[in-house]
Amino acid sequence: MSRAGLAAERTALAWRRTAVASMITGALFLNHAVINGWRPALIAPIGAAVAMAALAGLSYLRNRSLREGRHSRGGWVVATASATVVAVAVLAFVIEFTDPLP
């Protein structure tokens, strides 16, 4: 396999790890919502879980396209993934300091 093929394979595996990590993060946000009861303040963790699920889907699609040999530039995918991760990190920070302890 050529160096370009190996690079695409490594990148596809990285997108797969991103998909798995975002699914786990979304599950943790849903766990937080369930443990603390369903109240209006929990719209934020549920929204974060939905954003992480969308990121998992996007990462899976990027992984699949790289494995199928479509090596188009993925700048918009990287930008979307970065923006989602930053938004969810800020949201987690806000939740941590505004949500009362159970």
Side-chain angles (χ1 to χ4, degrees):
M1 187 175 267
S2 69
R3 287 183 189 253
L6 290 175
E9 180 69 19
R10 284 191 305 270
T11 304
L13 289 172
W15 281 108
R16 181 177 290 178
R17 286 190 301 271
T18 302
V20 170
S22 62
M23 286 186 287
I24 292 169
T25 304
L28 290 173
F29 275 108
L30 282 179
N31 183 44
H32 175 78
V34 170
I35 287 176
N36 289 321
W38 296 99
R39 53 192 164 107
L42 293 177
I43 291 173
I46 293 170
V50 169
M52 289 286 97
L55 178 59
L58 181 67
S59 299
Y60 170 76
L61 291 175
R62 181 64 179 157
N63 170 37
R64 196 171 87 192
S65 70
L66 287 170
R67 287 189 172 276
E68 292 173 353
R70 296 183 310 226
H71 302 139
S72 63
R73 297 184 57 90
W76 71 271
V77 178
V78 173
T80 303
S82 299
T84 302
V85 168
V86 168
V88 169
V90 168
L91 189 60
F93 182 78
V94 169
I95 291 169
E96 175 65 28
F97 289 104
T98 60
D99 197 24
L101 294 173

